[in-house]
Amino acid sequence: MRRFTIAGIFSLALVGVANAQFFDPPALADRNGSQGFWFYMLEVPDPGAITIDAHGDDWGWFDPEYTLTMDEWRDEGDRPAPDRDDLFITTFMGWKGGDDNRWYCFLEAVDDVLAHAGTNVARWDGDMLQVGLDPQDHGRERSPASGYTMEWLMAPGDLSPPTNVAFRYTEQEAWAEYGESPWIEMAVRVDPPEAWAADLWAEGGTTYYEWSVKVLAFQEDAGPSASEVWQLDAVAGEDGSGLPFAMWYEDGEGPDSSFSPNEDGTPGGRNDWTTRGPEASSRQYYSIAKLLRVGEYSSPTAVESSTWGKIKDSF
């Protein structure tokens, strides 16, 4: 098995002491979605040109060859993938090192039914998105006190309190701020806009998520301000160890849904569509993406922003 070493103050073997305790990580085929393809994040040429507003017009630099489509996701309950006219997700992922040191993402979900019932971002029903990072690739050790994985919940609709993103693990109160600016910038919107506040929008529509996250090592009990930055430049490149991440998308189907009904009889979503492979479901290892630098992918000016719709329709 090939092993990578991360340089700098976080110098450690990717599959060193921590993984020796919990077995080696699964092979790529068991780690990245349903196909075992490499996933990629492309270096953002100019972070100042990206506005986190859930509009894709500032992602025109992104080479569509590296688009992550739902064909590379899987259902953790091993249910068949939905038809493309039911649910289809396309995702652009980027990164930037240096002083910025952030994970960037633009995700579009075309859905035949929009289900926004509930006022809690952690509603685990209807349409919602969960994303996560595990920079040190420690895998199955889930406790927030361990300094390993970090996860955020995102959802559209009129929520109470009125926040559409939250850091999931708040047992350590200081880490609640990791769900707030400037640590994470997130926007979500729905088309048509009328579906935003509707419990159920049976005519279908599109949900757009966009975010950037300051990537931290997640080590200190005192919270993000006391924690070290995880240096993305040190793990970037074709031969770099990359960044472990995960996404879960819950697809609400409304009151007639036969998928995963809740204990009180209310309809559940198709829980969970995920980028992780089948081995990851039991071992907790995240997907992993190569961080390609400018020059390791097509010219950042190769794609005009006006082509976004054509890119989407091509998949």
Side-chain angles (χ1 to χ4, degrees), residues 19-82:
N19 287 336
Q21 182 179 357
F22 300 122
F23 316 107
D24 284 341
L28 184 65
D30 294 321
R31 182 164 182 158
N32 277 12
S34 59
Q35 304 296 326
F37 298 149
W38 275 109
F39 296 158
Y40 293 94
M41 301 180 188
L42 306 187
E43 184 178 11
V44 178
D46 181 9
I50 291 186
T51 302
I52 304 300
D53 57 5
H55 289 270
D57 53 357
D58 45 11
W59 284 80
W61 57 271
F62 192 92
D63 185 337
E65 179 182 351
Y66 296 95
T67 303
L68 178 64
T69 76
M70 200 174 180
D71 292 339
E72 295 156 357
W73 294 44
R74 59 175 289 273
D75 178 66
E76 290 200 327
D78 292 326
R79 287 164 289 206

Side-chain angles (χ1 to χ4, degrees), residues 277-295:
E279 185 71 10
S281 298
S282 59
R283 301 271 299 280
Q284 300 305 336
Y285 281 102
Y286 279 19
S287 312
I288 191 162
K290 293 281 190 181
L291 308 185
L292 297 188
R293 300 185 180 98
V294 171

Side-chain angles (χ1 to χ4, degrees), residues 99-293:
D99 293 337
D100 193 63
N101 217 82
R102 300 180 79 92
W103 173 37
Y104 291 83
C105 198
F106 182 84
L107 183 150
E108 177 191 274
V110 180
D111 195 353
D112 66 333
V113 174
L114 301 181
H116 300 162
T119 61
N120 187 349
V121 70
R123 57 186 175 232
W124 307 114
D125 188 24
D127 298 336
M128 65 172 292
L129 175 68
Q130 179 179 339
V131 304
L133 291 174
D134 183 10
Q136 299 178 70
D137 205 25
H138 282 226
R140 59 188 281 188
E141 188 69 32
R142 296 294 299 277
S143 168
S146 69
Y148 300 154
T149 66
M150 56 204 78
E151 297 174 7
W152 295 264
L153 306 175
M154 306 175 182
D158 291 337
L159 305 186
S160 179
T163 177
N164 295 91
V165 62
F167 187 66
R168 182 177 181 186
Y169 299 122
T170 55
E171 289 85 349
Q172 297 163 292
E173 293 183 5
W175 279 95
E177 67 180 85
Y178 207 21
E180 303 170 353
S181 178
W183 303 106
I184 184 171
E185 304 287 347
M186 195 283 292
V188 55
R189 68 182 178 94
V190 174
D191 185 22
E194 295 83 357
W196 176 264
D199 284 353
L200 184 68
W201 189 264
E203 291 81 1
T206 305
T207 304
Y208 303 88
Y209 292 89
E210 186 175 24
W211 68 87
S212 77
V213 176
K214 189 80 168 180
V215 182
L216 303 177
F218 195 28
Q219 294 175 324
E220 302 297 334
D221 291 349
S225 60
S227 297
E228 299 282 359
V229 172
W230 187 254
Q231 300 292 338
L232 295 179
D233 285 318
V235 297
E238 285 277 12
D239 295 325
S241 56
L243 181 64
F245 76 98
M247 297 185 192
W248 299 262
Y249 194 94
E250 186 152 344
D251 178 24
E253 295 290 344
D256 297 328
S257 171
S258 60
F259 294 100
S260 304
N262 298 320
E263 292 182 359
D264 62 1
T266 57
R270 290 178 132 170
N271 187 26
D272 288 307
W273 292 103
T274 182
T275 58
R276 299 189 304 171
E279 185 71 10
S281 298
S282 59
R283 301 271 299 280
Q284 300 305 336
Y285 281 102
Y286 279 19
S287 312
I288 191 162
K290 293 281 190 181
L291 308 185
L292 297 188
R293 300 185 180 98

